[in-house]
Amino acid sequence: MPATHATQIAFFQRARGLVETLAWLRLCAIAGQTATIVVVTRLLRLPVPVVPLMLGVGALVTFAVFAFWRLTLPRPVSLAEGFAHVSVDILVLTYLLYWTGGVENPFVTLLVIPMALAAAALSMRYVAAVAVLASICFALLVPWHQPLPPLHVARIAEADLREIAIAVNFVVIAGVLAFFSARLANALRAREAEVRRQRESTLRNEGILAIATQAAGTAHELNTPLSTIRTLLGELQRERGNDTALAGDLALLVGQAERCRDILRKLVAVGNRGLNDLPEQLTLAAFVEACGDQIRLLRPEIALRIAFTGNAGEQVIAAAPDLGHALVNLLSNAGDASQAAGSAAVELRISVDGGDAVFAVRDHGSGVVPRLGAGFRTGKQHGLGLGLALAHSTAERLGGGLAAHTAEDGGLVQRLRVPLLGNDNSAP
């Protein structure tokens, strides 16, 4: 089965991470190999083949320059390319070991490092290929290699010098493996956290989709009884229009029926725009004014104060209908929190941060930060727990986010962030 687009992106990221890691390790290897050659030839005065060894180090320097140049290109790094970089390092190390004793060299175990790094980033078939290549190189070094010169020097026995080399080799391998194993573990934990977040988001969106589907079906079913109610109310008004006591109640019922009809029509219009992927384009001032009018109609007891920062009101936003519902839900929740603390004040401040519009909703309640994205939970006695979940889901779907923090002088501030029209992440 072909890999999905997301899987391919993950492979590209892992391969690029491997190539970057090898590039920096290659610089360390070049420095270490050069220093080793200098120490062996100048201080220990051992007759090692300097020219072949420097040719190998020079080849590694050339490839290191190429690797850093390659990382500057925008083209993704494939798994095959990552395998090629690992292979070059194994082959150059094998060449250097050939001139320095082969398997008798204590540093032969450095062949393990490329295999360990490949196992952390490449797919199984490339890891197997790296293991086979390293094993073949090791096997070839057994019969074919240039023997090491006598290792004993003044005041240092041959056994002591070999033990020093083994100790240095162990420190190098342990340090590299410990460092990159820790990096790998951190990356895995970050990936698991992202997977959990995506799973929670998916479950929440599935629940919201089910609710939306049920709401659409309910709206369709309500159209017929609502039409019947409006017809009967009209007849009652004609028949009992002279009844003063009843006329006011009938007028109120007619007004409520008309409002229900307008809500259903708006719901149909929202669905049509959603299907056609055509969100309404409004300035932030017009959008906020419409939301303010709606919250004042629904919650007249709330004392809403609106303020714009700079020229934020002139900015244009792709006002998807659910964005308006999200903001109204946040304002309504803020009103409930303020009223629970004996206040009716709710503040809405609109600002622009980069390419995003930020709606900061401030209440004067207890300041308890809600758990965003944790499902349909509510702390209100008669709440359904949908408002905050819908707002969070809407913000994520539009390419933004929802965050909350406690205000310094009490209360809670919830920041709804969505891209402005024309921003790369904005909804179409």
Side-chain angles (χ1 to χ4, degrees):
M1 183 175 62
T4 64
H5 181 64
T7 303
Q8 291 176 348
I9 292 177
F11 281 152
F12 289 148
Q13 292 175 342
R14 287 161 49 187
R16 183 177 183 85
L18 174 63
V19 171
E20 289 178 348
T21 300
L22 290 174
W24 290 106
L25 278 179
R26 204 171 287 121
L27 293 182
C28 298
I30 291 170
Q33 291 161 0
T34 304
T36 301
I37 293 174
V38 171
V39 169
V40 169
T41 56
R42 298 296 182 183
L43 298 182
L44 302 181
R45 300 186 180 279
L46 296 178
V48 296
V50 177
V51 174
L53 292 178
M54 293 307 297
L55 286 177
V57 175
L60 202 59
V61 170
T62 303
F63 188 74
V65 173
F66 165 78
F68 279 105
W69 170 80
R70 169 64 185 89
L71 289 171
T72 62
L73 301 181
R75 183 166 58 89
V77 179
S78 64
L79 293 181
E81 193 171 351
F83 168 74
H85 283 248
V86 176
S87 301
V88 169
D89 290 331
I90 291 176
L91 293 174
V92 172
L93 179 58
T94 302
Y95 169 82
L96 296 175
L97 290 170
Y98 168 80
W99 290 102
T100 54
V103 294
E104 298 177 2
N105 190 321
F107 291 98
V108 70
T109 51
L110 290 177
L111 287 171
V112 173
I113 292 180
M115 289 190 292
L117 296 178
L122 300 181
S123 61
M124 184 59 66
R125 62 174 181 173
Y126 285 115
V127 173
V130 169
V132 170
L133 176 62
S135 300
I136 291 175
C137 290
F138 184 89
L140 292 176
L141 288 173
V142 175
W144 290 295
H145 60 268
Q146 296 297 320
L148 282 172
L151 299 180
H152 61 276
V153 295
R155 290 177 295 178
I156 301 179
E158 180 173 346
D160 295 337
L161 192 60
R162 187 178 295 275
E163 289 176 357
I164 293 173
I166 293 174
V168 171
N169 178 55
F170 175 81
V171 170
V172 170
I173 294 179
V176 171
L177 292 183
F179 177 74
F180 288 101
S181 295
R183 285 189 60 183
L184 176 61
N186 291 334
L188 289 176
R189 283 193 290 268
R191 185 175 301 175
E192 289 175 357
E194 178 65 17
V195 169
R196 286 195 298 269
R197 191 190 70 81
Q198 292 290 344
R199 184 183 297 113
E200 289 180 357
S201 178
T202 300
L203 292 175
R204 184 180 64 252
N205 291 337
E206 287 178 353
I208 292 173
L209 179 60
I211 294 172
T213 303
Q214 184 66 28
T218 302
H220 178 72
E221 295 175 2
L222 285 176
N223 186 53
T224 299
L226 182 60
S227 297
T228 303
I229 292 173
R230 291 177 59 248
T231 301
L232 292 176
L233 287 174
E235 294 179 358
L236 286 173
Q237 278 186 314
R238 287 192 297 270
E239 294 177 1
R240 303 293 180 90
N242 297 328
D243 190 337
T244 306
L246 189 59
D249 293 337
L250 289 175
L252 177 61
L253 290 174
V254 169
Q256 293 298 321
E258 292 293 333
R259 183 183 172 192
C260 291
R261 184 192 63 176
D262 292 340
I263 292 174
L264 290 179
R265 287 179 175 176
K266 185 181 295 186
L267 182 60
V268 173
V270 167
N272 289 334
R273 284 200 297 267
L275 289 175
N276 295 326
D277 208 13
L278 295 173
E280 188 177 6
Q281 298 180 12
L282 294 174
T283 63
L284 283 176
F287 172 73
V288 171
E289 181 181 0
C291 293
D293 291 341
Q294 186 174 356
I295 196 65
R296 292 187 187 98
L297 178 63
L298 296 174
R299 304 291 301 275
E301 72 277 9
I302 295 177
L304 177 62
R305 294 194 296 268
I306 300 175
F308 289 87
T309 301
N311 64 342
E314 302 173 4
Q315 303 298 318
V316 180
I317 191 171
D322 48 355
L323 177 59
H325 298 325
L327 184 56
V328 170
N329 282 330
L330 292 179
L331 292 171
S332 180
N333 288 344
D336 292 336
S338 293
Q339 287 183 319
S343 173
V346 173
E347 300 166 10
L348 172 61
R349 180 172 293 276
I350 302 93
S351 60
V352 174
D353 182 13
D356 294 341
V358 180
F359 303 91
V361 179
R362 160 77 185 279
D363 63 48
H364 294 269
S366 61
V368 177
V369 178
R371 293 183 59 193
L372 300 178
F376 303 146
R377 293 183 174 89
T378 179
K380 296 183 293 185
Q381 182 178 0
H382 303 292
L384 298 177
L386 292 176
L388 190 60
L390 290 171
H392 189 205
S393 176
T394 298
E396 286 189 343
R397 187 182 63 81
L398 296 178
L402 179 63
H405 65 87
T406 303
E408 294 181 358
D409 52 347
L412 184 71
V413 179
Q414 298 197 65
R415 297 184 183 275
L416 176 64
R417 177 186 293 267
V418 294
L420 292 168
L421 187 66
N423 192 13
D424 292 339
N425 295 329
S426 62

